[in-house]
Amino acid sequence: MWFTKITNENQINVVDKDSVLKNRLCQSYNDPHFRTFDGAYYDYMEVGEFVMYRNDIGPYWIHALFTSCGSRFPGTSCICGIAIRSKESLFVLRTCEQISRTEKYFLQQPVVSLTYCDKTDMVIENTNNNYKIILPIATEIQFSIARRFISVISIKPAVKDINTAKGLCGVPSTSKDPSDDFTHRDYGPINDGQIFADSWRISSEMVDEQLFNEEPEFLKTNNDANNSIVIVDNNEINPDLATYCSCDHSYWSTDSLDDVNSVKCNLTESTEQCTEPSNSFDSFVQYNSCFQPLPQPQRRRRSANFPHKISKHSLNNNDDVVDFKPLIYSDDVNETEIESPSTFRNGWTSDGAYTICFNSINNALQNDMYKDYVDTPVDKFIEACVKDIEVAGDTTFLTDTVNAMVTSILTELVKTESLYTKKSADGSQTLLEYFASELCLNNCNDNGLCKSGVCSCDNGHVGEDCSYNTTLPPTGISLPFDGECKLTIRACETINVFGEFLTTSVWCKRRHFQILENELLYTPRDELVLAKYRNPFMLTLNLPASRKKRSVNKAVWSEGYDISLSYDGQNFGEETSIIIYDDLKYSCNTTTKTCISLIVDESAEETDTKKDVIMILAPVAVSVVVIIAILGVVCFKLMTKASKAKIVSYGDEPDQKTTSSDNQNGRENTVSVLEFNLEETTDVNVFAMQCPPRKENIDVWNGGYKTSK
């Protein structure tokens, strides 16, 4: 029920406290060129991790990672990583796997991760290859990605950075005095820009300050239960943290209106909100309080000396993984002899390079249009462009230079409050809208409309400047774990697809197949689905739950999908395969689309065992029989030979008294007597009687008994 209420007069004072920071922007771009907060310019081509900005009141840190631009550009360095710490939260984007002075080593899938503690620690906006991150004190960081490098980093300081921020960006002062911008980390202001920059290098001994390693030291205190890693997705706006006015205190509907008589407003400086915002921060990023332990199943797992870690977008989805490979430093990083940058080549001269740079920059940006609002150092950008052509031998970096200028101009325009109210000549739009519509890269190549500095491409074209034809498919496509999805460690309901994606609309053609013991079966038709865009380097694709259906009464060993991607839904790139299988039962190969069973048949194994035993025992038994037979033959021969020798020895005695006839009669009589005595006497030693007696033991045979003389 509404009612009439007359309130006291209230006075509202709007103070533009950050007007002192007009035209104050730190930038690092290309190979690389630096501009400090107060307008000092220098080039610095070292490699490694460096502090660009640091304000200890947060603490708030911004580190940049530099590596070789490639063998084509000796002696130069390009930005391949940025890490932003806001209190106890950390955002990291890294495109390089290894730091080197001579070569570039890119990750197959760039790392884009956020280890968060509080959802108000930073605001992250991502449109295509452009990122904007806002810190709680209103410091604004913008950066863009081109050719897998970070082409430009821009840092707009806040009021709380004055005389407190430091690093490669220098120290912002109220008077824009660049004399103290080269502030050495330990010794204060100096005149040598190279020594100044060297002091802000993060060496291998500075473990407490490193932000690109596996797990920064400042996160370890909360690692077990309080931190969570998510993959940063496309997030165009954060409605909760975009308010710039707040009340002195929080009020409720039951409070008297007389008490609500003051408000703090600043159009360009974020302040604390009146009440806790609803949990409507973009659903792509999930938050939990850093000070409340997460439930056990949601804890981030870690392992000592683990070679790399897996970053998860959703804490309860084990399919959503990204391989976070550790950063490696090449041996050449520590070399003291640095190769000098190349001089003009490929037919280029200083005058020719200047002409190209001057015309390209002035044609791309109509400086006269907004010169009353923005102080753009056009001459410095042209000078940097000439240096880039000198070391590159071509215009590789020209577009990045123009983009750095556009960022510089737009950053200042949106901070100029009067442009939100003043109208263009025809009155159809504000001056801010009018200026921004002229600041798109390459004027969108006449393939789209420029709105607020961003191209809205016509059908058939995509990309930051609408230069890419949609008949050409996405490039650099790969799958985690080479397309193998093992059911023992993942649900295999979705899969991340890595590549370079120029628009949020990417079509996927997928075809299901089943792998049988000796057969590969495909479904009759392809499916066309729209993949979920996550960031410029990653999509997520759903895998329908059609697991393990039997086909023609045959057991399905595994199943999978052939997938290919397209921007227009008609022209698709090369196919890549996903295989889903139980790795306890099978071992599969995505290239050949084949599997090997790891299951052992017990009955067959028992039969094979019996056969093996028989095969072993049979030869042994035969060998034993043969050996016994041989021994029997040998023994028989030996016994026969011994018997013959004894008989011969008995028959040849020299003192034998009887004749041969007597011997014959004696042998016959002896046998008959022996037979007789066997019948009459039972205790005769028969075996003793069977062998001829020796001479010395026989004198007289008496009835079968032998007696000695």
Side-chain angles (χ1 to χ4, degrees), residues 506-512 523 525-531 541-542 544 561-573:
V506 181
W507 292 95
C508 175
K509 180 172 64 176
R510 68 188 180 202
R511 190 179 182 188
H512 180 259
T523 54
R525 292 180 296 179
D526 296 331
E527 294 180 289
L528 188 63
V529 295
L530 194 63
L541 179 64
N542 290 327
Y561 296 88
D562 289 338
I563 65 169
S564 56
L565 302 177
S566 168
Y567 286 126
D568 61 2
Q570 298 178 359
N571 298 280
F572 290 85

Side-chain angles (χ1 to χ4, degrees), residues 120-150:
T120 62
D121 280 348
M122 64 180 76
V123 183
I124 302 174
E125 302 176 11
N126 167 223
T127 304
N128 295 329
N129 287 334
N130 302 309
Y131 283 82
K132 179 190 288 187
I133 297 177
I134 304 174
L135 302 180
I137 59 174
T139 304
E140 185 176 291
I141 307 101
Q142 298 184 66
F143 59 92
S144 302
I145 301 170
R147 304 179 311 281
R148 287 289 178 115
F149 285 118
I150 298 175

Side-chain angles (χ1 to χ4, degrees), residues 634-665:
V634 171
C635 183
F636 176 76
K637 287 185 176 181
L638 291 174
M639 292 177 63
T640 303
K641 184 177 180 180
S643 299
K644 290 181 178 180
K646 292 176 181 179
I647 294 173
V648 171
S649 175
Y650 176 77
D652 293 338
E653 287 293 331
D655 55 349
Q656 188 71 24
K657 300 287 179 76
T658 59
T659 64
S660 60
S661 58
D662 293 333
N663 288 337
Q664 182 68 27
N665 292 333

Side-chain angles (χ1 to χ4, degrees), residues 41 99 126 135 245 333 390 702:
Y41 295 86
I99 302 300
N126 167 223
L135 302 180
C245 294
V333 170
E390 181 179 5
N702 183 13

Side-chain angles (χ1 to χ4, degrees), residues 240-527:
D240 294 335
L241 300 181
T243 57
Y244 295 107
C245 294
S246 70
C247 308
D248 281 342
H249 305 283
S250 296
Y251 298 96
W252 302 92
S253 59
T254 56
D255 293 335
S256 172
L257 292 178
D258 293 334
D259 297 331
V260 187
N261 54 20
S262 66
V263 66
K264 293 180 180 179
C265 281
N266 191 328
L267 294 178
T268 55
E269 181 184 1
S270 63
T271 55
E272 190 175 337
Q273 296 173 338
C274 294
T275 58
E276 179 68 18
S278 60
N279 189 20
S280 59
F281 186 83
D282 195 284
S283 60
F284 290 126
V285 182
Q286 301 177 16
Y287 283 91
N288 288 289
S289 172
C290 182
F291 306 105
Q292 296 178 359
L294 299 175
Q296 184 67 26
Q298 294 182 333
R299 289 188 178 183
R300 183 177 63 182
R301 295 181 296 175
R302 64 189 176 111
S303 176
N305 300 320
F306 198 64
H308 61 272
K309 62 186 176 185
I310 301 300
S311 298
K312 296 184 178 181
H313 165 69
S314 174
L315 297 176
N316 55 9
N317 181 1
N318 59 11
D319 279 336
D320 199 2
V321 295
V322 173
D323 195 3
F324 196 122
K325 294 186 177 180
L327 181 65
I328 302 172
Y329 284 82
S330 299
D331 294 336
D332 62 14
V333 170
N334 298 319
E335 293 179 0
T336 56
E337 295 184 4
I338 303 173
E339 186 176 3
S340 300
S342 300
T343 56
F344 289 106
R345 61 188 188 279
N346 300 333
W348 285 96
T349 63
S350 177
D351 292 340
Y354 181 86
T355 301
I356 289 295
C357 293
F358 180 87
N359 293 333
S360 299
I361 289 175
N362 283 283
N363 291 337
L365 303 170
Q366 302 178 35
N367 188 44
D368 292 339
M369 181 184 298
Y370 40 78
K371 66 179 181 179
D372 294 336
Y373 304 96
V374 182
D375 181 14
T376 306
V378 178
D379 292 342
K380 291 295 183 180
F381 282 108
I382 293 175
E383 180 182 337
C385 174
V386 173
K387 291 181 179 179
D388 292 337
I389 293 177
E390 181 179 5
V391 300
D394 54 33
T395 58
T396 297
F397 298 107
L398 178 56
T399 299
D400 300 334
T401 302
V402 174
N403 188 33
M405 281 192 65
V406 170
T407 302
S408 174
I409 294 168
L410 272 176
T411 300
E412 293 303 325
L413 289 177
V414 298
K415 297 289 185 179
T416 306
E417 289 85 352
S418 61
L419 297 180
Y420 288 84
T421 57
K422 292 181 179 180
K423 296 291 184 179
S424 59
D426 59 5
S428 62
Q429 52 189 337
T430 65
L431 281 181
L432 179 61
E433 293 171 337
Y434 174 66
F435 291 153
S437 66
E438 300 295 329
L439 290 175
C440 283
L441 186 63
N442 297 326
N443 196 28
C444 303
N445 286 289
D446 296 326
N447 295 321
L449 297 176
C450 183
K451 298 179 180 180
S452 300
V454 179
C455 289
S456 177
C457 301
D458 299 332
N459 289 334
H461 294 87
V462 293
E464 189 176 3
D465 60 353
C466 302
S467 60
Y468 198 89
N469 196 301
T470 56
T471 58
L472 302 174
T475 59
I477 306 303
S478 64
L479 300 175
F481 310 110
D482 296 324
E484 294 185 11
C485 193
K486 301 177 181 180
L487 292 171
T488 57
I489 58 176
R490 294 173 55 191
C492 299
E493 297 173 352
T494 64
I495 190 168
N496 292 331
V497 183
F498 306 142
E500 296 187 25
F501 307 107
L502 304 177
T503 179
T504 58
S505 298
V506 181
W507 292 95
C508 175
K509 180 172 64 176
R510 68 188 180 202
R511 190 179 182 188
H512 180 259
F513 61 81
Q514 294 178 327
I515 299 178
L516 282 63
E517 183 174 1
N518 296 306
E519 193 174 2
L520 179 64
L521 297 180
Y522 276 94
T523 54
R525 292 180 296 179
D526 296 331
E527 294 180 289

Side-chain angles (χ1 to χ4, degrees), residues 673-686 703 705:
V673 173
L674 176 61
E675 292 174 352
F676 172 77
N677 289 325
L678 285 174
E679 292 177 1
E680 297 293 334
T681 308
T682 58
D683 57 351
V684 176
N685 189 339
V686 177
Y705 290 90

